Amino acid sequence: MNSPISISYATSPPRLSGELILSVRDLSVSFDSPDGIVHAVNGVSFELHSGECLGIVGESGSGKSVTMMSLVGLIPSPPARIDSGFAVLRDGAWEADLLAMPRSQLRRVRGGTVGFVFQDPLSALNPTMRVGRQIAESVQKHRGLDPNEARAEALELLSAVGIADPERRYGNYPHEFSGGMRQRVMIAIAMAGDPPIVIFDEPTTALDVTVQAQIVQLVKSRLQKERGTAIVWITHDLAVVAGIADRVAVMYGGTVVETAPVDEIYARPQHPYTEGLLAAIPSAEADINTRLASIEGSPPDLLVELSCCPFQPRCTRAFDRCLQAVPPLFKVGNAHHSACFYDMVADRPRA
Ligand code: ADP
Ligand code: MG
């Protein structure tokens, strides 16, 4: 594929906002395990536009990481298997289904078209290689610059992500950086290929609140606004998403149960699970286990193939239909969809 080649990060033009860039339809992923087949992702669909930030929210094990990682061939296969779906990526006139792409081509997509920033930057960085070199390599690989140009570009990126004294820091190793600074380095590596999409998988979970806020600010200003990059921000924390996402998809049991613009999700949640998550956001800080304990019951058993609403055993509004079929995503407002047979506004089962 032809990845966009630009001279300098700072001088190449940003992308137009609002263009459909990724369209995922009916994605299902399962794992073979000693206990049976784990149905990790069950018919997930979503769209992503350039310049927007999509927040993917759901408790641990709801399929957030597997959904995104399977798009770029980052899940181990076997034991993983993509059972259905397609994921059409568009970059200018170029268009391809990521799920049908050979691994060799996916390797170029990673970094060049889709950047990834993980929760634990230490495991994602090479501990034996100077940080500046790691950024420069990514620049060379995806943008075809010569080593000198790549070095200059890496220095510019270090400074862009707010690392002081980039000339000196270029020669440091990952262990010489704090957690927040390593996360900035990861963002610089993700920015190096100037990809149209960057996926952040719980990138600030291990960081303190002040550093979290700085990272969010950095991503919004340097990537989303300046470059028109489409951002996917994965988190278990609905409160975090308020500060960054334009749109939210709430996941439960490997399905998307509700999707809406961020303000709408907060003002008018239309799925009992989202409502429960919102009610559980503590006024003071508490850890996730305390917080989720307030939705009674346990997460769904993914060894059982989905045949009804996955949230039904924990739902206060469940009725007979919820046991008979998997609820489709109903349109419940402007750009607002909920996979629930109960109409929460009318307070009765949907007609
Ligand atoms: P999340 O990111 O929402 O916390 P994941 O997407 O990582 O959740 O995982 C979804 C489900 O897939 C989990 O229940 C997990 O047990 C299962 N899973 C993930 N990786 C594997 C694997 N390598 N083998 C078997 N099951 C897996
Ligand atoms: Mg995860």
Side-chain angles (χ1 to χ4, degrees):
M1 66 170 287
N2 49 346
S3 55
I5 292 183
S6 52
I7 305 308
S8 157
Y9 190 81
T11 54
S12 62
R15 293 177 176 84
L16 295 173
S17 273
E19 284 180 4
L20 180 64
I21 188 163
L22 178 66
S23 177
V24 175
R25 282 282 161 273
D26 193 33
L27 173 65
S28 295
V29 185
S30 57
F31 292 89
D32 287 322
S33 84
D35 300 323
I37 297 172
V38 180
H39 301 276
V41 175
N42 302 292
V44 163
S45 300
F46 66 90
E47 286 180 345
L48 189 63
H49 302 84
S50 52
E52 79 166 339
C53 176
L54 172 68
I56 300 193
V57 188
E59 64 196 329
S60 177
S62 56
K64 306 181 298 294
S65 297
V66 171
T67 295
M68 299 316 301
M69 286 163 81
S70 59
L71 297 180
V72 286
L74 283 175
I75 45 166
S77 167
R81 190 172 45 240
I82 293 175
D83 296 315
S84 72
F86 55 88
V88 176
L89 183 72
R90 293 187 186 88
D91 191 8
W94 180 85
E95 182 177 303
D97 180 1
L98 292 174
L99 301 182
M101 222 178 241
R103 292 232 153 209
S104 57
Q105 208 179 348
L106 270 183
R107 263 196 295 279
R108 297 201 51 190
V109 165
R110 288 199 291 273
T113 311
V114 183
F116 237 106
V117 176
F118 297 98
Q119 176 179 349
D120 175 13
L122 249 199
S123 65
L125 289 167
N126 180 344
T128 65
M129 191 177 185
R130 295 178 198 279
V131 150
R133 273 298 321 144
Q134 298 190 46
I135 302 171
E137 265 200 354
S138 183
V139 171
Q140 275 177 272
K141 178 173 169 202
H142 298 294
R143 312 238 303 274
L145 302 189
D146 73 36
N148 284 334
E149 289 170 324
R151 184 176 191 280
E153 186 68 4
L155 287 170
E156 199 173 309
L157 282 163
L158 278 171
S159 141
V161 296
I163 289 177
D165 197 1
E167 287 280 353
R168 184 175 65 81
R169 290 307 232 157
Y170 187 97
N172 287 158
Y173 290 93
H175 71 88
E176 296 175 274
F177 288 75
S178 67
M181 285 296 158
R182 278 198 290 267
Q183 204 52 287
R184 286 170 192 261
V185 170
M186 282 308 299
I187 295 171
I189 292 173
M191 286 165 79
D194 196 14
I197 300 173
V198 181
I199 296 164
F200 291 82
D201 193 346
E202 313 235 15
T204 59
T205 305
L207 304 175
D208 75 53
V209 179
T210 316
V211 180
Q212 269 188 34
Q214 288 168 355
I215 301 279
V216 166
Q217 209 37 53
L218 172 69
V219 170
K220 284 203 87 73
S221 64
R222 299 302 305 225
L223 281 174
Q224 195 185 357
K225 294 221 169 69
E226 271 180 36
R227 305 298 311 150
T229 310
I231 307 289
V232 177
W233 192 278
I234 298 176
T235 176
H236 59 255
D237 192 339
L238 199 44
V240 165
V241 140
I244 181 151
D246 303 303
R247 236 163 15 97
V248 176
V250 179
M251 286 194 69
Y252 188 83
T255 68
V256 171
V257 293
E258 181 166 10
T259 171
V262 68
D263 299 341
E264 180 79 5
I265 278 271
Y266 280 86
R268 280 171 293 279
Q270 299 281 312
H271 194 284
Y273 177 60
T274 314
E275 188 184 55
L277 279 183
L278 282 171
I281 293 177
S283 40
E285 283 166 50
D287 83 29
I288 185 69
N289 298 319
T290 327
R291 166 178 322 185
L292 289 174
S294 63
I295 301 180
E296 275 190 33
S298 33
D301 181 2
L302 298 175
L303 290 167
V304 179
E305 200 171 345
L306 201 65
S307 62
C308 63
C309 171
F311 189 59
Q312 150 272 319
R314 296 169 85 176
C315 183
T316 52
R317 293 182 180 81
F319 60 106
D320 50 2
R321 201 188 306 165
C322 312
L323 277 160
Q324 291 157 3
V326 181
L329 280 165
F330 293 97
K331 185 167 166 48
V332 294
N334 194 13
H336 192 166
H337 294 83
S338 167
C340 181
F341 288 126
Y342 197 84
D343 182 337
M344 289 172 57
V345 175
D347 199 21
R348 57 175 155 72
R350 248 174 243 294

